[in-house]
């Protein structure tokens, strides 16, 4: 079942009653309820929102990611359950003990698929993709020749210009991309937790300050989906340069977007669970291949 995403921008009180999330407007006192089992994400943007401890507990029990935004209305942190899989202890052990060749092979697959998806984004938006497709074919174990970085430079230069730099703190449309990636990162972390894996322990990303290194690994082939939606929004809103509520609600729809894995369509959120589940099977030695999204 596709889980709902709740975007809360107004001052409300969040409590729970009969396994329902109760959302009460602080001004009008109007109430509405949502079954907690139907929710996947709750995005808390307004700092005047109150959420009760029982509500947080029930949401966490149902693997709902509660994302809290900072004073600039950007995703800052999220809540995730500590126990969400029946064989979590075993999975933690095999993940920690996974040999380096296995991790290198996983990263090779991830980078290949990411570059292939970037090529398809270029095609969709009227650009030549032949060079990028050739780069995807040349990725080696652990991407030892950094084909990802080389492809990224070509990709962004083609979409925008050689003067534009993809940067967390860079100029427009970095702000749109950053917001979309933050939502994607939260969704990837949620999927990994649901598959019994540690989102902190990456296969490639390993910065000591990175609390979600494995989520950063897994989200790479999904980034082009965010890129595509940002490009579409830019094309349809050519005078909008700042983050607004319309864009935030729009980019959240990526979570229900059709995504192809192994020639079958799945909602984006479900596709992430297929990828995370395949990674757990790799760690368990049941397969060597990841289930990765195809932008086509």
């Amino acid at each position: 079942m596709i889980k709902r995403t709740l975007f809360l921008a107004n001052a409300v009180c969040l409590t729970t009653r009969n396994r329902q999330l109760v959302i009460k407007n602080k001004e009008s006192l109007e109430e509405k309820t949502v079954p907690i089992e139907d929710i996947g994400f709750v995005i808390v943007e307004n700092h005047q929102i109150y959420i009760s401890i029982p509500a947080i507990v029930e949401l966490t029990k149902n693997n709902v990611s509660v994302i809290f935004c900072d004073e600039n209305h950007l995703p800052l942190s999220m809540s995730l359950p500590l126990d969400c899989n029946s064989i979590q202890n075993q999975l933690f052990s095999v993940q920690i003990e996974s040999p380096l060749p296995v991790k290198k092979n996983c990263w090779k697959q991830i980078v290949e698929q990411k570059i292939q998806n970037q090529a398809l984004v270029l095609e969709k938006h009227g650009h030549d993709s032949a060079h990028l497709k050739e780069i995807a074919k040349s990725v080696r174990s652990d991407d030892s020749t950094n084909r990802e970085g080389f492809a990224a430079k070509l990709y962004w230069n083609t979409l925008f210009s050689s003067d534009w730099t993809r940067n967390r703190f860079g100029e427009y449309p970095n702000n749109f991309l950053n917001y979309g990636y933050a939502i994607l990162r939260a969704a990837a972390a949620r999927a990994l937790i649901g598959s019994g894996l540690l989102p902190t322990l990456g296969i490639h990303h390993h910065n000591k300050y990175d609390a979600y290194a494995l989520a950063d690994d897994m989200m790479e082939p999904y980034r082009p989906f965010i890129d595509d939606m940002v490009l579409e929004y830019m094309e349809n809103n050519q005078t909008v340069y700042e983050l607004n509520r319309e864009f935030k609600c729009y980019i959240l729809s990526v979570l229900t977007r059709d995504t192809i894995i192994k020639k079958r369509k799945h909602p984006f959120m479900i596709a992430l669970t297929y990828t995370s589940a395949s990674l757990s099977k790799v760690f368990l030695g049941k397969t060597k291949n990841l289930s990765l999204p195809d932008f086509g």
Side-chain angles (χ1 to χ4, degrees):
M1 181 181 72
I2 301 176
K3 299 287 187 176
R4 295 179 60 178
T5 299
L6 304 182
F7 180 80
L8 304 175
N10 297 320
V12 296
C13 293
L14 302 178
T15 56
T16 183
R17 183 174 63 237
N18 299 325
R19 299 179 65 82
Q20 306 273 315
L21 183 67
V22 181
I23 306 171
K24 183 175 181 179
N25 189 293
K26 286 186 175 182
E27 294 183 359
S28 67
L29 302 183
E30 179 184 359
E31 279 189 8
K32 66 177 181 178
T33 61
V34 182
I36 290 178
E37 64 182 0
D38 293 347
I39 305 171
F41 298 88
V42 176
I43 300 177
V44 179
E45 186 181 67
N46 192 311
H47 285 193
Q48 299 303 311
I49 289 173
Y50 164 82
I51 180 168
S52 71
I53 296 299
I56 292 176
V57 169
E58 285 302 314
L59 290 166
T60 303
K61 283 181 179 179
N62 285 270
N63 196 23
V64 178
S65 291
V66 183
I67 302 171
F68 298 95
C69 297
D70 62 17
E71 64 276 6
N72 296 315
H73 310 291
L74 299 175
L76 176 67
S77 66
M78 61 182 165
S79 66
L80 289 170
L82 294 175
D83 183 4
C84 200
N85 190 283
S86 58
I87 58 168
Q88 185 165 297
N89 193 351
Q90 179 189 8
L91 287 167
F92 280 6
S93 296
V94 295
Q95 180 184 356
I96 292 169
E97 297 168 1
S98 180
L100 190 58
V102 170
K103 296 177 182 179
K104 288 183 176 181
N105 179 52
C106 285
W107 185 242
K108 176 180 183 292
Q109 294 178 56
I110 286 171
V111 172
E112 283 177 336
Q113 193 61 52
K114 177 184 180 180
I115 298 173
Q116 289 172 11
N117 287 345
Q118 287 175 326
L120 292 171
V121 169
L122 290 184
E123 283 185 8
K124 179 179 177 180
H125 293 272
H127 302 287
D128 179 66
S129 64
H131 195 180
L132 226 55
K133 289 182 177 180
E134 289 300 315
I135 295 174
K137 296 176 183 177
S138 66
V139 178
R140 298 179 180 178
S141 176
D142 199 36
D143 189 25
S144 57
T145 57
N146 194 26
R147 297 295 86 189
E148 182 194 19
F150 186 73
K153 181 175 178 57
L154 177 62
Y155 176 67
W156 294 119
N157 286 353
T158 303
L159 285 177
F160 301 119
S161 73
S162 58
D163 296 329
W164 185 85
T165 303
R166 167 70 196 123
N167 190 291
R168 182 179 176 186
F169 303 104
E171 62 184 18
Y172 164 88
N174 276 296
N175 52 343
F176 291 152
L177 293 166
N178 292 339
Y179 193 90
Y181 294 156
I183 298 301
L184 170 57
R185 191 174 190 237
R190 177 183 180 274
L192 288 166
I193 287 287
S195 295
L197 298 175
L198 281 165
T200 299
L201 188 61
I203 57 176
H204 180 79
H205 289 86
H206 56 269
N207 189 307
K208 67 179 181 180
Y209 302 109
D210 189 351
Y212 297 104
L214 189 59
D216 290 334
D217 290 328
M218 196 183 84
M219 66 185 272
E220 293 295 345
Y222 287 90
R223 284 181 184 265
F225 293 84
I226 299 294
D227 303 341
D228 174 57
M229 293 193 68
V230 169
L231 288 166
E232 288 187 349
Y233 186 84
M234 291 171 63
E235 291 167 4
N236 296 325
N237 300 271
Q238 296 184 11
T239 60
V240 179
Y241 304 105
E242 302 295 331
L243 286 173
N244 56 36
R245 185 172 181 177
E246 178 190 40
F247 172 79
K248 293 173 183 177
C249 292
Y250 161 78
I251 203 68
L252 286 173
S253 67
V254 72
L255 297 172
T256 56
R257 173 175 176 159
D258 282 342
T259 309
I260 299 172
I261 288 186
K262 294 183 178 179
K263 298 182 180 181
R264 295 187 63 181
K265 285 185 179 181
H266 305 279
F268 191 90
M269 192 185 302
I270 303 301
L272 282 164
T273 66
Y274 275 96
T275 299
S276 61
S278 71
L279 181 56
S280 68
K281 290 178 181 177
V282 169
F283 289 144
L284 287 166
K286 295 182 178 180
T287 183
K288 293 183 179 180
N289 299 318
L290 296 173
S291 297
L292 298 172
D294 184 347
F295 185 82

PDB file of all heavy atoms in Angstrom, residues 156-168:
ATOM      1  N   TRP A 156      25.572  18.201 -15.385  1.00  0.00           N
ATOM      2  CA  TRP A 156      25.126  19.519 -14.936  1.00  0.00           C
ATOM      3  C   TRP A 156      25.477  20.609 -15.951  1.00  0.00           C
ATOM      4  O   TRP A 156      24.691  21.542 -16.166  1.00  0.00           O
ATOM      5  CB  TRP A 156      25.717  19.858 -13.576  1.00  0.00           C
ATOM      6  CG  TRP A 156      25.241  18.978 -12.461  1.00  0.00           C
ATOM      7  CD1 TRP A 156      25.980  18.167 -11.664  1.00  0.00           C
ATOM      8  CD2 TRP A 156      23.872  18.804 -12.033  1.00  0.00           C
ATOM      9  NE1 TRP A 156      25.183  17.501 -10.759  1.00  0.00           N
ATOM     10  CE2 TRP A 156      23.887  17.878 -10.952  1.00  0.00           C
ATOM     11  CE3 TRP A 156      22.654  19.347 -12.441  1.00  0.00           C
ATOM     12  CZ2 TRP A 156      22.723  17.481 -10.304  1.00  0.00           C
ATOM     13  CZ3 TRP A 156      21.500  18.953 -11.790  1.00  0.00           C
ATOM     14  CH2 TRP A 156      21.534  18.036 -10.728  1.00  0.00           C
ATOM     15  N   ASN A 157      26.621  20.481 -16.599  1.00  0.00           N
ATOM     16  CA  ASN A 157      26.992  21.462 -17.627  1.00  0.00           C
ATOM     17  C   ASN A 157      26.010  21.437 -18.789  1.00  0.00           C
ATOM     18  O   ASN A 157      25.700  22.478 -19.383  1.00  0.00           O
ATOM     19  CB  ASN A 157      28.402  21.199 -18.152  1.00  0.00           C
ATOM     20  CG  ASN A 157      29.485  21.605 -17.171  1.00  0.00           C
ATOM     21  OD1 ASN A 157      29.203  22.206 -16.139  1.00  0.00           O
ATOM     22  ND2 ASN A 157      30.725  21.282 -17.484  1.00  0.00           N
ATOM     23  N   THR A 158      25.513  20.252 -19.104  1.00  0.00           N
ATOM     24  CA  THR A 158      24.548  20.112 -20.202  1.00  0.00           C
ATOM     25  C   THR A 158      23.186  20.663 -19.809  1.00  0.00           C
ATOM     26  O   THR A 158      22.527  21.358 -20.587  1.00  0.00           O
ATOM     27  CB  THR A 158      24.418  18.631 -20.606  1.00  0.00           C
ATOM     28  OG1 THR A 158      25.702  18.112 -20.964  1.00  0.00           O
ATOM     29  CG2 THR A 158      23.467  18.473 -21.786  1.00  0.00           C
ATOM     30  N   LEU A 159      22.758  20.385 -18.590  1.00  0.00           N
ATOM     31  CA  LEU A 159      21.439  20.841 -18.150  1.00  0.00           C
ATOM     32  C   LEU A 159      21.401  22.352 -17.933  1.00  0.00           C
ATOM     33  O   LEU A 159      20.406  23.010 -18.254  1.00  0.00           O
ATOM     34  CB  LEU A 159      21.050  20.142 -16.838  1.00  0.00           C
ATOM     35  CG  LEU A 159      20.607  18.687 -16.941  1.00  0.00           C
ATOM     36  CD1 LEU A 159      20.322  18.120 -15.555  1.00  0.00           C
ATOM     37  CD2 LEU A 159      19.367  18.550 -17.827  1.00  0.00           C
ATOM     38  N   PHE A 160      22.466  22.898 -17.394  1.00  0.00           N
ATOM     39  CA  PHE A 160      22.504  24.328 -17.103  1.00  0.00           C
ATOM     40  C   PHE A 160      23.624  25.001 -17.906  1.00  0.00           C
ATOM     41  O   PHE A 160      23.444  25.318 -19.057  1.00  0.00           O
ATOM     42  CB  PHE A 160      22.632  24.544 -15.594  1.00  0.00           C
ATOM     43  CG  PHE A 160      21.494  23.920 -14.821  1.00  0.00           C
ATOM     44  CD1 PHE A 160      21.722  22.933 -13.886  1.00  0.00           C
ATOM     45  CD2 PHE A 160      20.182  24.293 -15.065  1.00  0.00           C
ATOM     46  CE1 PHE A 160      20.664  22.344 -13.195  1.00  0.00           C
ATOM     47  CE2 PHE A 160      19.123  23.720 -14.392  1.00  0.00           C
ATOM     48  CZ  PHE A 160      19.360  22.737 -13.445  1.00  0.00           C
ATOM     49  N   SER A 161      24.769  25.185 -17.306  1.00  0.00           N
ATOM     50  CA  SER A 161      25.900  25.759 -18.043  1.00  0.00           C
ATOM     51  C   SER A 161      27.176  25.459 -17.281  1.00  0.00           C
ATOM     52  O   SER A 161      27.148  25.050 -16.115  1.00  0.00           O
ATOM     53  CB  SER A 161      25.737  27.279 -18.209  1.00  0.00           C
ATOM     54  OG  SER A 161      25.956  27.928 -16.975  1.00  0.00           O
ATOM     55  N   SER A 162      28.295  25.682 -17.920  1.00  0.00           N
ATOM     56  CA  SER A 162      29.585  25.423 -17.267  1.00  0.00           C
ATOM     57  C   SER A 162      29.848  26.414 -16.137  1.00  0.00           C
ATOM     58  O   SER A 162      30.730  26.190 -15.306  1.00  0.00           O
ATOM     59  CB  SER A 162      30.725  25.496 -18.300  1.00  0.00           C
ATOM     60  OG  SER A 162      30.737  26.774 -18.925  1.00  0.00           O
ATOM     61  N   ASP A 163      29.080  27.516 -16.099  1.00  0.00           N
ATOM     62  CA  ASP A 163      29.244  28.515 -15.037  1.00  0.00           C
ATOM     63  C   ASP A 163      28.481  28.136 -13.769  1.00  0.00           C
ATOM     64  O   ASP A 163      28.722  28.716 -12.704  1.00  0.00           O
ATOM     65  CB  ASP A 163      28.763  29.892 -15.513  1.00  0.00           C
ATOM     66  CG  ASP A 163      29.614  30.426 -16.664  1.00  0.00           C
ATOM     67  OD1 ASP A 163      30.809  30.104 -16.689  1.00  0.00           O
ATOM     68  OD2 ASP A 163      29.072  31.145 -17.513  1.00  0.00           O
ATOM     69  N   TRP A 164      27.540  27.182 -13.913  1.00  0.00           N
ATOM     70  CA  TRP A 164      26.715  26.788 -12.770  1.00  0.00           C
ATOM     71  C   TRP A 164      27.377  25.639 -12.023  1.00  0.00           C
ATOM     72  O   TRP A 164      27.935  24.723 -12.635  1.00  0.00           O
ATOM     73  CB  TRP A 164      25.327  26.360 -13.236  1.00  0.00           C
ATOM     74  CG  TRP A 164      24.371  26.060 -12.112  1.00  0.00           C
ATOM     75  CD1 TRP A 164      23.596  26.944 -11.428  1.00  0.00           C
ATOM     76  CD2 TRP A 164      24.096  24.770 -11.545  1.00  0.00           C
ATOM     77  NE1 TRP A 164      22.847  26.310 -10.472  1.00  0.00           N
ATOM     78  CE2 TRP A 164      23.129  24.970 -10.518  1.00  0.00           C
ATOM     79  CE3 TRP A 164      24.566  23.481 -11.792  1.00  0.00           C
ATOM     80  CZ2 TRP A 164      22.633  23.915  -9.760  1.00  0.00           C
ATOM     81  CZ3 TRP A 164      24.076  22.434 -11.023  1.00  0.00           C
ATOM     82  CH2 TRP A 164      23.117  22.650 -10.023  1.00  0.00           C
ATOM     83  N   THR A 165      27.318  25.678 -10.687  1.00  0.00           N
ATOM     84  CA  THR A 165      27.936  24.641  -9.874  1.00  0.00           C
ATOM     85  C   THR A 165      26.908  24.006  -8.958  1.00  0.00           C
ATOM     86  O   THR A 165      26.148  24.716  -8.284  1.00  0.00           O
ATOM     87  CB  THR A 165      29.076  25.217  -9.014  1.00  0.00           C
ATOM     88  OG1 THR A 165      30.034  25.833  -9.863  1.00  0.00           O
ATOM     89  CG2 THR A 165      29.750  24.111  -8.211  1.00  0.00           C
ATOM     90  N   ARG A 166      26.871  22.679  -8.981  1.00  0.00           N
ATOM     91  CA  ARG A 166      26.007  21.954  -8.052  1.00  0.00           C
ATOM     92  C   ARG A 166      26.640  22.035  -6.664  1.00  0.00           C
ATOM     93  O   ARG A 166      27.752  21.570  -6.425  1.00  0.00           O
ATOM     94  CB  ARG A 166      25.878  20.494  -8.503  1.00  0.00           C
ATOM     95  CG  ARG A 166      25.275  19.556  -7.469  1.00  0.00           C
ATOM     96  CD  ARG A 166      23.796  19.810  -7.241  1.00  0.00           C
ATOM     97  NE  ARG A 166      23.390  19.165  -5.990  1.00  0.00           N
ATOM     98  CZ  ARG A 166      22.830  19.787  -4.974  1.00  0.00           C
ATOM     99  NH1 ARG A 166      22.580  21.085  -5.025  1.00  0.00           N
ATOM    100  NH2 ARG A 166      22.496  19.143  -3.889  1.00  0.00           N
ATOM    101  N   ASN A 167      25.892  22.667  -5.731  1.00  0.00           N
ATOM    102  CA  ASN A 167      26.456  22.923  -4.416  1.00  0.00           C
ATOM    103  C   ASN A 167      25.338  23.014  -3.397  1.00  0.00           C
ATOM    104  O   ASN A 167      24.268  23.564  -3.680  1.00  0.00           O
ATOM    105  CB  ASN A 167      27.259  24.237  -4.435  1.00  0.00           C
ATOM    106  CG  ASN A 167      28.069  24.450  -3.185  1.00  0.00           C
ATOM    107  OD1 ASN A 167      27.528  24.675  -2.110  1.00  0.00           O
ATOM    108  ND2 ASN A 167      29.390  24.387  -3.323  1.00  0.00           N
ATOM    109  N   ARG A 168      25.609  22.494  -2.216  1.00  0.00           N
ATOM    110  CA  ARG A 168      24.607  22.530  -1.159  1.00  0.00           C
ATOM    111  C   ARG A 168      24.195  23.950  -0.814  1.00  0.00           C
ATOM    112  O   ARG A 168      23.056  24.217  -0.438  1.00  0.00           O
ATOM    113  CB  ARG A 168      25.160  21.817   0.081  1.00  0.00           C
ATOM    114  CG  ARG A 168      24.183  21.754   1.246  1.00  0.00           C
ATOM    115  CD  ARG A 168      24.792  21.021   2.424  1.00  0.00           C
ATOM    116  NE  ARG A 168      23.913  21.022   3.578  1.00  0.00           N
ATOM    117  CZ  ARG A 168      24.243  20.550   4.773  1.00  0.00           C
ATOM    118  NH1 ARG A 168      25.454  20.035   4.954  1.00  0.00           N
ATOM    119  NH2 ARG A 168      23.387  20.604   5.768  1.00  0.00           N
TER     120      ARG A 168
END
